[in-house]
Amino acid sequence: MPRAEHAISREDISDNALKVMYRLNNAGFSSYLVGGCVRDLMLGHKPKDFDVVTNATPEQIKGLFRNCRLIGRRFRLAHIVFGREIIEVATFRGHHNEDQSMAKQDEQGQLVRDNVFGTIEEDAERRDFTFNAMYYDVATFSVTDFANGISAIKRREVDLIGDPEVRYREDPVRMLRAVRFAAKLDMTINPRTAKPIYDLAHLLSNIPPARLFEEMLKLFLSGQGLKTFRMLREYNLLEPLFPMLGKVFSAADSKEIALIERVLVNTDERINTGQRVTPAFLIATLLWYPVEEHATKLQSEAGLNAHDAFNIAMGDVLHRQSQRIMIPKRFSTVVRDIWHLQQRLPRRFGRRAFQLLSHPKFRAAYDFLLARGQTEGGELLELADWWTQFQDAAPNQQKKMLNTLRQEEGGAQRKRRRPRKPKSDNHVQ
């Protein structure tokens, strides 16, 4: 498609991406924008990042850019660093041959090494979805659509290139990407692309936990978290990511699902209004009920007190989940704080209430308590409402609230006391 037949303008492309392509072209190589950035530009969206593909090898790319670092073992990539922006440059991928030093698949068909280089036509065939196989050439301002991506965009469909089962086995993360794109772009998944997902979802257990953490962030922190969550549940893709929640995801309705969806609604709203979010809050939500359940089990079966059982349960649940999706320590520490404060927030007497207010993670813990209260109601909601009033009250009003609380608690304790037995007049000799 020549410039007159598409809407992509250089004004919408990152200056740094243009610099990379111009330098590659001036050195005698060909280079193109490819993938999501071309798709988004064709849809009239602003791309989050810009990827470049070229016939230069990673070592040749590194020789052209002092600000380049080579990454990746499964497939070698070049990252050109411009301050906070990174332009990812890949060499055209080719078809596999029998040389296992360059490309290798495991017994389930997953690619564990993929450093075969080829032509732009072969590279297009190796792309995952049809709308990701469009290439923008800055030299001619044209777009080449190798797999009818424009047609897929017009149909509002996510469709894989090639045999879906083979492509999912090559890289099971493509199942997550299919759902993410459908939710993000407000599309449906083509039936032939959707059908194998139900049978192959278990292959996600073969993906390294660190990679699944990055995918989880893209799934739930994109501003379409609730829609993505529901689609993942529809295609049975949640249990492979969170095995401890298998029974929850298969249930028709539950308080666990209600809490997760409530938090995802709030998270989407914050992201779409430019507010900050932390993965720790979402992780704390997803794993809260497994922690409660495990703590209760430890109390009944191991005879532990509530405090020790809860502390052990936190560690056990985080460890088990990290075996499937890695949780970096900078987030797991915050998750523990949020959970631990749920045990402390009901204890408000004396200086405790003021000490809790000054805790660095009080606000996150309060927001989590409020979400739990709005989901479960009852005493939990009353506790959340008390903290809502207390944190914004003037100092004298805070003292009144604590005095009232003390009096109410004292009255409740007197009511709970057993009446004394009357003394008998008969003495045992």
Side-chain angles (χ1 to χ4, degrees):
M1 289 179 288
R3 175 67 185 88
E5 296 181 17
H6 64 79
I8 296 179
S9 168
R10 281 177 295 172
E11 293 179 358
D12 300 322
I13 300 172
S14 158
D15 289 340
N16 293 321
L18 291 172
K19 287 177 186 176
V20 169
M21 288 189 290
Y22 287 143
R23 185 175 296 183
L24 284 165
N25 289 353
N26 291 336
F29 300 106
S30 58
S31 64
Y32 304 83
L33 285 181
V34 69
C37 60
V38 179
R39 177 199 68 224
D40 289 347
L41 288 169
M42 296 291 279
L43 284 165
H45 300 168
K46 184 178 180 180
K48 188 175 181 181
D49 46 41
F50 292 84
D51 294 338
V52 174
V53 68
T54 178
N55 58 347
T57 66
E59 289 71 22
Q60 289 171 327
I61 298 168
K62 187 172 177 60
L64 290 174
F65 297 91
R66 288 184 299 174
N67 53 334
C68 173
R69 63 171 183 257
L70 300 183
I71 66 162
R73 287 179 295 179
R74 193 170 70 95
F75 186 73
R76 202 79 164 142
L77 296 169
H79 278 183
I80 316 297
V81 183
F82 297 91
R84 293 187 176 183
E85 184 178 19
I86 296 176
I87 305 299
E88 186 172 279
V89 185
T91 306
F92 292 141
R93 287 178 288 181
H95 295 306
H96 299 157
N97 52 38
E98 296 181 358
D99 182 4
Q100 291 198 353
S101 66
M102 301 301 291
K104 184 180 180 181
Q105 291 177 283
D106 65 15
E107 62 276 5
Q108 293 178 317
Q110 184 176 338
L111 287 171
V112 293
R113 192 180 302 120
D114 189 15
N115 283 312
V116 177
F117 303 136
T119 65
I120 188 172
E121 291 81 10
E122 291 174 323
D123 188 82
E125 291 178 9
R126 295 289 314 280
R127 297 278 155 185
D128 49 9
F129 300 99
T130 56
F131 50 44
N132 285 342
M134 294 186 289
Y135 296 68
Y136 174 79
D137 184 356
V138 74
T140 63
F141 315 127
S142 63
V143 173
T144 304
D145 178 6
F146 284 94
N148 295 317
I150 292 295
S151 176
I153 288 175
K154 289 178 179 177
R155 297 193 313 269
R156 313 295 300 176
E157 278 191 346
V158 178
D159 195 12
L160 271 169
I161 297 171
D163 183 335
E165 181 169 346
V166 172
R167 302 312 303 278
Y168 288 144
R169 287 188 179 278
E170 286 178 349
D171 185 0
V173 167
R174 287 175 178 147
M175 292 182 281
L176 301 180
R177 286 167 59 82
V179 168
R180 177 161 63 87
F181 288 142
K184 173 186 174 183
L185 303 174
D186 193 24
M187 295 182 175
T188 58
I189 303 177
N190 181 285
R192 76 174 194 96
T193 296
K195 186 178 178 181
I197 294 177
Y198 300 98
D199 294 329
L200 301 179
H202 67 279
L203 295 177
L204 286 168
S205 61
N206 299 330
I207 302 299
R211 187 180 177 203
L212 283 182
F213 175 75
E214 296 300 324
E215 291 300 323
M216 183 189 73
L217 298 186
K218 295 175 185 177
L219 289 166
F220 296 124
L221 302 183
S222 62
Q224 296 290 336
L226 177 62
K227 188 174 182 179
T228 303
F229 175 80
R230 288 176 173 173
M231 287 191 72
L232 289 169
R233 193 178 176 201
E234 176 188 348
Y235 288 105
N236 299 333
L237 288 168
L238 283 169
E239 186 173 351
L241 301 178
F242 303 96
M244 286 179 285
L245 290 167
K247 293 180 181 178
V248 171
F249 296 140
S250 60
D253 195 15
S254 66
K255 66 178 182 179
E256 293 89 345
I257 294 295
L259 176 63
I260 292 168
E261 292 200 345
R262 182 180 297 277
V263 168
L264 284 171
V265 168
N266 295 338
T267 301
D268 288 345
E269 184 178 348
R270 290 181 65 86
I271 291 171
N272 293 323
T273 55
Q275 300 180 68
R276 293 180 61 185
V277 297
T278 172
F281 196 88
L282 180 61
I283 295 167
T285 303
L286 287 161
L287 301 179
W288 169 249
Y289 288 110
V291 169
E292 278 199 318
E293 182 181 353
H294 189 38
T296 301
K297 186 177 180 180
L298 287 171
Q299 283 183 264
S300 61
E301 295 184 2
L304 297 175
N305 61 53
H307 180 268
D308 290 344
F310 190 77
N311 282 336
I312 293 173
M314 287 195 298
D316 287 349
V317 168
L318 284 171
H319 174 70
R320 287 174 61 189
Q321 182 58 51
S322 293
Q323 292 177 319
R324 185 59 53 89
I325 298 178
M326 183 194 72
I327 304 174
K329 189 174 182 180
R330 67 183 184 277
F331 297 127
S332 65
T333 301
V334 178
V335 171
R336 285 177 177 270
D337 284 341
I338 292 172
W339 285 343
H340 188 246
L341 285 170
Q342 301 308 298
Q343 307 297 301
R344 293 179 59 189
L345 285 169
R347 302 195 289 269
R348 298 159 282 174
F349 298 107
R351 300 296 303 171
R352 288 177 178 173
F354 296 105
Q355 291 170 350
L356 286 168
L357 274 181
S358 64
H359 194 286
K361 294 298 179 285
F362 167 79
R363 184 68 198 190
Y366 159 75
D367 287 343
F368 187 56
L369 174 68
L370 183 60
R372 291 174 57 215
Q374 291 170 339
T375 301
E376 298 186 31
E379 293 183 359
L380 204 57
L381 183 57
E382 291 179 9
L383 175 63
D385 288 342
W386 188 91
W387 277 108
T388 301
Q389 298 175 44
F390 184 79
Q391 62 184 303
D392 294 326
N396 60 336
Q397 183 63 28
Q398 289 178 330
K399 291 180 181 179
K400 288 182 181 179
M401 290 180 68
L402 288 171
N403 288 334
T404 301
L405 187 68
R406 192 177 299 110
Q407 291 169 5
E408 290 174 351
E409 182 66 19
Q413 286 180 349
R414 285 193 292 273
K415 287 181 182 179
R416 287 196 294 268
R417 288 176 183 169
R418 293 181 180 179
R420 293 182 179 180
K421 293 182 180 180
K423 292 183 179 179
S424 174
D425 292 335
N426 298 322
H427 298 280
V428 178
Q429 300 294 325

